[in-house]
Amino acid sequence: MILKLLTGMSIIICSNLPVFSQTTAPKKLNAQRLTGTIKLDGNLDETAWKDAPVANNFVEWRPSAGTAEANSNRTEVYVLYDNNAIYVGGYCHEQTGDSVSRELVGRDQVGANDFVGIIFDTYNDKINASGFYVTALGEQYDAKYSNTGGEDGSWNAVWDSKAHIVKDGWTFEMRIPYSALRFSKNTTEWGMNISRKRNKAGKQYMWNPVVPTINGFVNQEGLWTGISDIKPPVRLAFSPYLSSYVNHYPAKGAASNGITASVNGGMDVKYGINQNYTLDMTLIPDFGQVQSDKEVLNLTPFEVKYNENRAFFTEGTELFNKGNLFYSRRIGGAPIHKYDVNPGPNEKITDNPSETKLINATKISGRNQKGLGIGLFNAITKSMYAEVQDITTKEIHEVQTSPQTNYNIIVFDLTLKNNSSVSLVNTNVLREGKDYDANVTAFVFDIYNKKNIYNWYGQTTVSNKSASGTNTTGYSHSLGFAKTGGRFNFNLNQDMANIRFDKNDMGILFNNNYIDHYLWLGYKWIKPKSFYNRLYLNINNNLSHRFEDGAYQSLNVNANINGQLKNLWNAGIEVYHNSVGHDFYEPRKQGRVFNTSQSTGTGFWIYSNTAKKYYLGGNLSGTFKKLFAGKNYYAGIEQRYRFNNKLSVSQNVSYTPAINAVGFAGFEGNEVVFNRRNRNTVENGLGIKYNFSTKSGLTLNARHYWSAVESQQYYTLQPDGSLSENNSFNKNSNYNVNLFNIDMVYTWQFATGSFMYIVWKNNIQNTESADGYFKNLGNTLGTMQNNNLSIKILYYLDYLKIRKRV
């Protein structure tokens, strides 16, 4: 029934294809040199602003694309430049100052704020750009843009901004030094666009119109023309740091109070090799203050992919993400032989580090005026050892768990006309000694037709692992054809990897030996109607087989409709169906298969207007399986209350019960044993944010994760993939896992680009059984805790400023 419904909807969509229209010529703003000086205070009272060219007549982008902004809410932005920087000032008119949405949220966040951003495409290649945003209270957000990679908000630059609330709106000033940009010394014309968000009204405007039915964002910019006599500066900056840690964990032994301390120092270096390419280096890095991972109880055969929270590995890495070969958590991750340490009958493991130590990391990246992007990344980790103690003699000997290792990526990315690009990517892992080395090479292409409506994309990838004269070579490819312009879009794709393909030494691959076919159909209503501002209908279909023997694995179909309502709430609903499949991974034994159950499910979600003081959102879903009448549910709620412009409190809680779920339990001799189990998982997070000013703030994030698993019945996996009851298996497959974390961070930007951080981390893990959520939480809080207090001072030194002082 669902398949018939989805087929019918796709026929209706395809029979109502819109006519694609071209856009008008881009707007132009003349570049004008600054005469005199500007005091950066957010007030436009300098004479220079009165004579500056003005970018005005903004056009609505969302929700009513193409509608001119009202005169009472008009936007006026002025742009000037001198030999050192670009100056941007603006007046965002409102009927009253109270109409301005503002909240102190900290750097690199927008929150529910009104904001203005200027986006520069300095090479005017229509693909890559840099954006600088300021909120109504003067806080900053910056990002890199690519029509092929989207927005990279992890990128950071050093620049200045101020804003000021006035009786009929707000004003702002920005100073963007040339050291924050990459451009050619012969440049005369840049791509440029300016964006304004009025959050309470739910409207976003663009200086040069951006048409939602045209693929891409940077390629729809206007032009900043007549630039002359500016030169890329010497870009050299040092960021030395000093950090100190005190750690308390009383379980380290009766002879110790569990207190340890350390002092660390190092430095980050940023150097502009030329006007196009930049070197970033971290020497003796310190990542002890990064946000704690949201760990979970993992019962799947695949590893958990965690977010990267280390700034060096997230900032300016858009080139290194080409080809999806780079999973930065591999660098400094678990030693490759951590779980291979086998103490003798009279020995015990006294220390087995869970992370490798990073010695240094370097990256070179940039793009020249001909569109050639080059990325080079290199990192070195030191050898790691576990300590094994003889129980009788107390002697300790070391067992190597990871050799010294070098990680390297090289990327060549060439932008072509019509928003297209081709890339060559190579990753290489070299290990000292007898451990294997790994190499992966990919060719990536992304080609659009002249009208930017159709897209051909794909990549071919070869992996190689070598050790002791033996080589294992694998192959993978992805090929796709898509319609990206207009209101109706589609994407048809094939992905495959043979059984020898492996990119896991520097990337992440959950499994190989597959050939998948994927079809996505989408239709969007972008003109506001009676009850909505915009709607999106999506239909997905995925068919998977094994590549080597062609065995069928799975067939999944999903349809959803979502959008923004007139009251600025967002809502959606979905239905999905999974046919009976063959799972070759859950048995954890080569050559075995488990016949998965047919399942059908549905879900819906709704989120209120984020500009309001109180925000509430939630989603609810249920999946129903034929095997053992299994049921999986998910219920999640998130809420936030903003007390004032400085203080807000948020909470998110989810409950995930699974009834008669089926999965791997263990081995009984040569037999694979599954179990039917009930699982209850609760995740509860609390966030408190208080910002003292635009330069300092305090955040607290607490998370409690509880997951309890109770086996109901054991089964032996039969050769044909079915299950038969097993009443002899005696391994305990019940779990009760509690994970509790607190991250409290005080941040103070005491000078441009310079920060002080004070961080308290609390970590608790508890597996003692208890009935009910609150008893588990109480028992967990009473368990031995690991507490870590640290302070880190990072000071930004700009070579140009140092030279002026000398």
Side-chain angles (χ1 to χ4, degrees):
M1 179 64 185
I2 291 178
L3 289 172
K4 291 181 179 179
L5 174 62
L6 298 183
T7 303
M9 286 193 292
S10 63
I11 293 173
I12 293 172
I13 291 172
C14 294
S15 65
N16 288 276
L17 300 182
V19 177
F20 186 86
S21 60
Q22 298 297 314
T23 57
T24 58
K27 288 183 177 181
K28 294 182 179 181
L29 185 71
N30 291 328
Q32 181 172 306
R33 276 190 168 269
L34 169 66
T35 57
T37 60
I38 289 177
K39 179 184 178 182
L40 211 70
D41 57 7
N43 296 307
L44 303 179
D45 49 10
E46 289 86 0
T47 303
W49 292 126
K50 296 177 173 59
D51 300 325
V54 58
N56 53 13
N57 298 321
F58 280 54
V59 176
E60 195 168 323
W61 179 25
R62 297 168 179 155
S64 301
T67 303
E69 64 178 352
N71 183 65
S72 59
N73 302 315
R74 65 190 182 279
T75 309
E76 298 161 341
V77 177
Y78 310 92
V79 183
L80 296 166
Y81 74 102
D82 61 16
N83 290 334
N84 303 306
I86 298 169
Y87 301 83
V88 184
Y91 203 132
C92 300
H93 292 269
E94 291 283 353
Q95 292 184 346
T96 67
D98 292 337
S99 300
V100 180
S101 181
R102 69 262 202 183
E103 177 190 7
L104 290 171
V105 293
R107 200 190 193 285
D108 287 332
Q109 299 183 66
V110 173
N113 281 291
D114 284 9
F115 64 79
V116 168
I118 188 163
I119 304 103
F120 288 117
D121 174 7
T122 55
Y123 292 115
N124 201 21
D125 62 9
K126 313 295 184 187
I127 295 180
N128 303 281
S130 303
F132 303 85
Y133 296 81
V134 60
T135 71
L137 290 178
E139 292 184 310
Q140 298 177 353
Y141 173 79
D142 37 31
K144 284 278 193 180
Y145 291 95
S146 168
N147 275 350
T148 56
E151 182 181 78
D152 177 13
S154 65
W155 176 73
N156 282 317
V158 178
W159 52 288
D160 295 298
S161 64
K162 292 285 186 179
H164 184 63
I165 305 292
V166 295
K167 64 179 181 179
D168 60 343
W170 61 286
T171 59
F172 69 89
E173 291 178 317
M174 304 160 65
R175 182 185 183 275
I176 305 169
Y178 293 137
S179 58
L181 296 162
R182 311 290 176 266
F183 57 91
S184 170
K185 63 182 179 180
N186 299 317
T187 186
T188 60
E189 187 174 86
W190 292 1
M192 184 184 78
N193 216 340
I194 306 169
S195 177
R196 177 188 176 187
K197 178 71 177 290
R198 297 178 58 235
N199 213 44
K200 288 183 178 179
K203 296 179 182 293
Q204 189 165 1
Y205 304 88
M206 304 298 293
W207 171 61
N208 195 75
V210 173
V211 181
T213 53
I214 295 178
N215 176 56
F217 172 77
V218 180
N219 54 305
Q220 299 191 61
E221 290 200 325
L223 296 171
W224 191 41
T225 63
I227 309 166
S228 63
D229 299 326
I230 63 172
K231 297 179 181 180
V234 175
R235 292 182 286 111
L236 176 60
F238 305 93
S239 298
Y241 80 86
L242 182 67
S243 64
S244 178
Y245 292 84
V246 176
N247 196 83
H248 178 240
Y249 187 46
K252 286 190 172 181
S256 169
N257 59 11
I259 297 177
T260 58
S262 64
V263 177
N264 306 290
M267 183 165 60
D268 293 344
V269 180
K270 186 182 290 287
Y271 173 62
I273 299 171
N274 55 31
Q275 66 263 32
N276 305 311
Y277 301 104
T278 302
L279 178 146
D280 288 278
M281 179 180 293
T282 181
L283 305 171
I284 318 177
D286 176 16
F287 301 122
Q289 295 190 321
V290 299
Q291 181 181 339
S292 300
D293 286 329
K294 294 184 177 182
E295 295 183 275
V296 297
L297 171 63
N298 182 22
L299 299 181
T300 75
F302 310 115
E303 67 176 306
V304 177
K305 183 179 181 180
Y306 289 108
N307 294 330
E308 178 60 87
N309 297 316
R310 300 170 296 178
F312 184 85
F313 294 97
T314 60
E315 294 178 4
T317 57
E318 65 275 3
L319 276 173
F320 303 112
N321 292 326
K322 293 281 184 178
N324 194 28
L325 301 182
F326 183 38
Y327 177 46
S328 57
R329 291 295 297 261
R330 295 286 183 231
I331 302 169
I336 60 173
H337 299 302
K338 172 179 170 60
Y339 301 104
D340 298 338
V341 181
N342 294 312
N346 198 40
E347 295 178 329
K348 66 177 182 179
I349 299 173
T350 56
D351 188 28
N352 192 2
S354 58
E355 296 179 350
T356 53
K357 179 70 174 178
L358 180 63
I359 299 174
N360 63 60
T362 304
K363 57 189 177 187
I364 297 174
S365 61
R367 190 178 301 274
N368 64 21
Q369 59 268 38
K370 295 182 179 180
L372 177 62
I374 298 177
L376 172 63
F377 178 95
N378 195 83
I380 301 173
T381 58
K382 67 181 298 185
S383 300
M384 301 301 296
Y385 296 87
E387 293 182 353
V388 178
Q389 184 183 56
D390 187 292
I391 296 175
T392 303
T393 65
K394 306 300 181 182
E395 292 184 357
I396 294 176
H397 69 274
E398 294 183 330
V399 177
Q400 188 180 74
T401 56
S402 182
Q404 181 169 303
T405 306
N406 187 89
Y407 298 86
N408 181 267
I409 311 174
I410 300 176
V411 181
F412 296 97
D413 178 63
L414 181 63
T415 57
L416 306 173
K417 62 180 181 179
N418 303 327
N419 209 28
S420 303
S421 66
V422 293
S423 308
L424 182 67
V425 186
N426 176 266
T427 69
N428 192 59
V429 179
L430 296 174
R431 296 184 173 93
E432 187 180 54
K434 296 181 180 180
D435 278 294
Y436 72 91
D437 300 325
N439 187 283
V440 181
T441 302
F443 172 73
V444 185
F445 65 92
D446 195 20
I447 307 298
Y448 291 85
N449 72 329
K450 188 175 182 179
K451 293 185 177 181
N452 194 23
I453 302 175
Y454 294 101
N455 173 223
W456 294 263
Y457 66 93
Q459 78 178 65
T460 60
T461 310
V462 177
S463 67
N464 181 267
K465 299 176 73 170
S466 59
S468 303
T470 62
N471 288 278
T472 303
T473 301
Y475 171 78
S476 171
H477 76 236
S478 176
L479 299 170
F481 174 60
K483 181 177 182 291
T484 56
R487 291 171 60 188
F488 168 69
N489 307 117
F490 66 78
N491 185 2
L492 180 63
N493 174 264
Q494 181 195 79
D495 282 327
M496 69 78 55
N498 68 11
I499 199 169
R500 292 168 295 280
F501 180 72
D502 188 352
K503 65 176 184 179
N504 270 322
D505 289 272
M506 205 159 177
I508 187 166
L509 179 73
F510 296 107
N511 62 276
N512 53 19
N513 190 20
Y514 63 84
I515 180 165
D516 294 348
H517 293 89
Y518 171 76
L519 173 65
W520 173 81
L521 302 171
Y523 192 83
K524 51 194 173 189
W525 291 265
I526 56 175
K527 186 176 181 179
K529 295 293 185 181
S530 57
F531 71 93
Y532 66 85
N533 286 328
R534 53 184 177 268
L535 286 178
Y536 303 93
L537 174 65
N538 305 287
I539 301 171
N540 306 274
N541 187 308
N542 187 76
L543 176 64
S544 179
H545 289 81
R546 299 244 287 182
F547 176 73
E548 297 292 333
D549 55 18
Y552 162 76
Q553 294 193 113
S554 62
L555 173 64
N556 310 311
V557 183
N558 170 284
N560 69 81
I561 187 166
N562 66 88
Q564 186 185 66
L565 308 179
K566 279 290 188 179
N567 61 357
L568 304 184
W569 288 41
N570 288 277
I573 187 170
E574 68 174 342
V575 292
Y576 47 90
H577 176 81
N578 303 319
S579 299
V580 173
H582 297 150
D583 189 337
F584 294 89
Y585 308 101
E586 187 65 20
R588 324 290 168 98
K589 191 173 184 179
Q590 190 71 26
R592 302 301 301 273
V593 63
F594 167 58
N595 296 336
T596 62
S597 173
Q598 175 180 304
S599 63
T600 302
T602 186
F604 72 91
W605 57 94
I606 187 165
Y607 298 93
S608 69
N609 184 354
T610 59
K612 300 294 185 181
K613 276 196 168 187
Y614 179 66
Y615 159 78
L616 175 66
N619 58 75
L620 181 67
S621 65
T623 303
F624 309 94
K625 303 178 180 180
K626 280 195 171 183
L627 184 62
F628 302 125
K631 301 176 182 66
N632 290 66
Y633 299 101
Y634 176 86
I637 293 176
E638 58 184 71
Q639 56 183 333
R640 185 200 66 237
Y641 187 78
R642 188 170 66 248
F643 292 90
N644 51 47
N645 293 343
K646 295 183 177 182
L647 175 64
S648 65
V649 177
S650 61
Q651 184 201 27
N652 58 80
V653 59
S654 65
Y655 176 47
T656 313
I659 302 167
N660 288 335
V662 179
F664 174 81
F667 295 102
E668 188 177 49
N670 292 323
E671 298 293 340
V672 179
V673 179
F674 275 51
N675 65 345
R676 174 170 55 85
R677 58 206 183 202
N678 294 336
R679 179 178 182 178
N680 288 305
T681 301
V682 178
E683 185 171 1
N684 195 351
L686 173 68
I688 302 174
K689 181 270 307 174
Y690 187 88
N691 281 58
F692 303 95
S693 69
T694 60
K695 302 298 183 183
S696 66
L698 182 69
T699 62
L700 182 145
N701 289 292
R703 172 183 181 258
H704 176 227
Y705 171 90
W706 171 51
S707 190
V709 181
E710 184 178 356
S711 292
Q712 305 298 305
Q713 175 66 52
Y714 292 106
Y715 301 87
T716 300
L717 180 66
Q718 300 300 308
D720 64 355
S722 62
L723 301 175
S724 63
E725 283 195 15
N726 181 326
N727 296 315
S728 61
F729 188 71
N730 57 12
K731 179 182 177 182
N732 183 11
S733 297
N734 295 334
Y735 299 91
N736 191 83
V737 174
N738 286 270
L739 304 170
F740 184 84
N741 293 91
I742 294 177
D743 288 12
M744 189 167 71
V745 182
Y746 170 75
T747 304
W748 174 35
Q749 183 178 350
F750 58 88
T752 301
S754 302
F755 295 87
M756 181 179 76
Y757 306 95
I758 301 176
V759 179
W760 169 51
K761 288 186 176 184
N762 174 274
N763 176 271
I764 313 173
Q765 298 186 13
N766 177 37
T767 58
E768 293 181 4
S769 296
D771 294 329
Y773 172 78
F774 291 103
K775 285 187 177 180
N776 273 275
L777 176 59
N779 286 354
T780 300
L781 295 177
T783 305
M784 288 180 294
Q785 308 177 12
N786 187 76
N787 282 279
N788 184 284
L789 181 65
S790 65
I791 181 170
K792 180 177 181 179
I793 299 175
L794 182 146
Y795 193 77
Y796 178 79
L797 298 169
D798 189 331
Y799 164 76
L800 293 177
K801 290 185 177 180
I802 297 173
R803 190 176 67 176
K804 286 181 181 179
R805 292 172 183 173
V806 174

